[in-house]
Amino acid sequence: MALRRPKTTGAAAAREPARHRPVLVTGFEPFGGEDTNPSWEICRVLPGAIGHARIQTVRVPTEFRRAIEVVAAAIEELEPAVVILLGQAGGRACVSVERVAINVDDARIADNAGLQPIDEPIAAAGPPAYFATVPIKAMLAAILEAGVPAQVSNSAGTFVCNHLFYGTLHFLAASGRDARAGFIHVPWLESQAVARPGEPAMALATMVRGVEAAIAAALATAEDVKMAAGQLD
Ligand code: PCA
């Protein structure tokens, strides 16, 4: 009789060798009156695997609290080795690899459930900030190498994207998981920029190429590379 390997869950599953665990990639629902969100459009067309890692995608509501609940549930179910959160940053020209998530909500507009928290902590007892735990410079280098304009960003804003970034890193830390997590903001799609003459936009295929390269770099890089990508102001 063949030996059946017991199904491992929770912290035990998180100790599985990282190469057997998937990459979780999330994208947001449209918000702010848009009818599309490039972050989810990217998820829809990503390949099923990058290198040896399966890619699992989840669509996240653009709602404070609920976004974190949806991603935490997906992490508990899938026990990914790497979590890449994607979001739209309309007005930015580059793919932005976010460095840091801060413990504050300060919403300029209401979220999709009508919530508009102002100057509220995300986790009352949490640290002021978390750094991304994926290798942001190696990812930046890989995105640029793929021919896609990119930068490191030192602020993911104070809306639902920063909220989810912080909440995911806090959930991973608090539950003792070793999964690495990062956030990538992408520009408007060209279709969204048509109504905004002069505003920057990027083609979906270009974004996808950049995100694929970033995921491959995150999987291949245990220790981040040193590469100047800071800003003077
Ligand atoms: N961008 C928003 C939230 C959802 C999204 O795609 C943000 O940058 O906060």
Side-chain angles (χ1 to χ4, degrees), residues 10-188:
R15 288 195 297 272
E16 291 262 292
R19 65 182 177 278
H20 296 149
R21 289 156 56 195
V23 176
L24 172 62
V25 187
T26 73
F28 279 102
E29 291 174 350
F31 69 101
E34 299 292 316
D35 57 11
T36 187
N37 187 322
S39 64
W40 177 244
E41 296 309 311
I42 293 166
C43 289
R44 280 159 47 105
V45 296
L46 280 176
I50 293 179
H52 294 297
R54 247 177 329 116
I55 302 296
Q56 299 271 357
T57 59
V58 168
R59 190 170 193 251
V60 179
T62 305
E63 294 175 32
F64 290 100
R65 300 280 151 220
R66 196 73 201 107
I68 297 174
E69 285 167 17
V70 167
V71 171
I75 290 170
E76 282 174 334
E77 187 195 326
L78 301 166
E79 293 297 351
V82 174
V83 182
I84 301 292
L85 310 162
L86 304 176
Q88 165 192 309
R92 291 194 193 173
C94 289
V95 169
S96 307
V97 184
E98 299 292 348
R99 189 195 299 264
V100 61
I102 59 175
N103 189 8
V104 69
D105 292 331
D106 186 4
R108 193 165 44 79
I109 58 171
D111 71 7
N112 286 0
L115 283 180
Q116 190 175 1
I118 295 174
D119 294 348
E120 287 175 23
I122 298 164
Y130 286 102
F131 286 119
T133 47
V134 290
I136 58 166
K137 297 291 182 70
M139 290 162 69
L140 173 68
I143 301 168
L144 294 171
E145 181 69 20
V148 178
Q151 63 186 2
V152 163
S153 158
N154 297 302
S155 173
T158 54
F159 193 49
V160 182
C161 286
N162 172 75
H163 179 90
L164 177 63
F165 189 19
Y166 184 94
T168 300
L169 289 165
H170 188 60
F171 173 76
L172 291 171
S175 64
R177 286 180 163 81
D178 65 355
R180 294 178 297 154
F183 198 104
I184 300 176
H185 261 126
V186 294
W188 274 314

